[in-house]
Amino acid sequence: MILAFGWMSVASADEDCLASAQTDLERIYCEVVARGGAGLPSMMDFRRNDSRVQALLLRQPARSLGLTLPEVSSIPEPEVARQTEEPAKESGSELAITRVLAGCQLQEELIQCPGLAYELAANRSLETLDDGVLEPGNRLGIVPFDGERNDDEAVRTYLSAAYDRYIPQMLAIGLGANTMSFTAFHNAFHTLESGGVDFSERMEKTYELLKQDRKTLGLKTRYHNELPESLSLCETINRDVIVCDNVRTNWVFVRAD
């Protein structure tokens, strides 16, 4: 593993930022921001992404400053503090799984259902993307939340619809292996909104950053060989997409043609 930068460089970064940095990528983030790097989300938002998305966000500004990122595959994922009860994407989720995924079988990188199959999505190369998906007209398009944050039912309904929009839009720009789990999505909403930041607006800005990076930066097809253990970890997004997660890792399966 190549260290991203030496202590001489680190010393120039904002001391408060560095004091709170917990990983090499967070320290690089502090360095980039301290040296005038523009367009990055706040540290709070940066932490909502896994290391693969963090590296993607940092790659271009770090390169312009002569900073070397560590190999993402060698970066240990931070321990995820599991909530007492993980937020379900929809109420009665086990019943929904039984109904929608009835008769399906998880076969490593394939979910085989009666009459159709879903394949594990990977990150796609630039040339395979549809025309125009990286242009300004392709927006994430999550609407602002207009309810009360202490209304659990309103929040669940909002985030379920927002997540159903988020996953296909990430697939559209070829980032099937870089998606947030619903738990991370849920946590990001509460973290941002409690800090006075509009969740939909910040997610839109992050999506635009990812689109811009996709135009010039390469990325790995996948970052690990881990697979979901059972269909109990899975939910349907729509008739074409199934998402599985164990909180720490997210997998997206797309209906095969």
Side-chain angles (χ1 to χ4, degrees):
M1 174 177 173
I2 302 174
L3 291 179
F5 45 85
W7 290 108
M8 291 289 288
S9 179
V10 171
S12 66
D14 181 84
E15 291 183 1
D16 290 338
C17 183
L18 281 175
S20 67
Q22 300 174 6
T23 67
D24 284 340
L25 287 173
E26 289 182 12
R27 285 186 282 274
I28 296 173
Y29 169 93
C30 294
E31 173 72 3
V32 169
V33 170
R35 292 172 60 177
L40 289 174
S42 68
M43 174 64 93
M44 179 176 64
D45 295 348
F46 183 75
R47 283 175 171 163
R48 301 319 310 171
N49 299 291
D50 66 23
S51 62
R52 296 177 291 278
V53 177
Q54 288 179 351
L56 183 62
L57 292 171
L58 285 172
R59 193 174 303 170
Q60 189 168 356
R63 180 180 296 171
S64 67
L65 294 172
L67 304 175
T68 303
L69 296 180
E71 287 290 333
V72 173
S73 59
S74 67
I75 300 172
E77 291 287 347
E79 290 295 323
V80 178
R82 297 179 71 96
Q83 298 178 343
T84 302
E85 182 178 355
E86 295 168 17
K89 182 178 176 295
E90 58 184 358
S91 58
S93 58
E94 290 190 7
L95 178 60
I97 292 169
T98 301
R99 183 178 67 252
V100 178
L101 299 180
C104 298
Q105 292 185 328
L106 180 62
Q107 301 173 352
E108 297 186 345
E109 297 183 2
L110 189 74
I111 295 177
Q112 183 66 58
C113 299
L116 73 163
Y118 295 82
E119 298 174 339
L120 181 63
N123 291 332
R124 295 163 53 195
S125 60
L126 193 61
E127 60 271 15
T128 67
L129 302 183
D130 292 340
D131 292 342
V133 294
L134 301 182
E135 299 307 314
N138 179 35
R139 296 173 55 81
L140 181 58
I142 295 175
V143 300
F145 178 65
D146 61 0
E148 296 293 331
R149 219 163 40 84
N150 59 0
D151 184 338
D152 292 341
E153 180 63 21
V155 169
R156 184 200 63 76
T157 300
Y158 169 77
L159 289 178
S160 181
Y163 196 70
D164 287 353
R165 172 71 181 178
Y166 162 76
I167 291 294
Q169 287 300 96
M170 288 292 281
L171 288 169
I173 61 174
L175 294 179
N178 285 84
T179 60
M180 298 168 65
S181 69
F182 185 72
T183 300
F185 199 75
H186 176 278
N187 291 344
F189 169 81
H190 283 291
T191 300
L192 291 170
E193 293 282 338
S194 65
V197 178
D198 184 274
F199 172 74
S200 63
E201 181 178 335
R202 187 52 57 86
M203 290 294 291
E204 192 69 59
K205 289 180 179 178
T206 301
Y207 190 67
E208 188 60 33
L209 280 172
L210 292 173
K211 288 196 301 177
Q212 294 305 312
D213 279 351
R214 288 256 47 202
K215 292 180 179 180
T216 57
L217 302 176
L219 71 167
K220 292 183 178 180
T221 302
R222 292 177 187 158
Y223 301 95
H224 58 81
N225 295 319
E226 185 179 1
L227 293 168
E229 295 179 356
S230 75
L231 285 178
S232 66
L233 302 175
C234 305
E235 298 274 3
T236 58
I237 295 296
N238 54 46
R239 68 185 300 270
D240 296 322
V241 181
I242 296 172
V243 174
C244 309
D245 84 88
N246 61 5
V247 180
R248 185 179 62 84
T249 303
N250 213 47
W251 298 270
V252 180
F253 291 80
V254 178
R255 186 165 63 94
D257 294 332

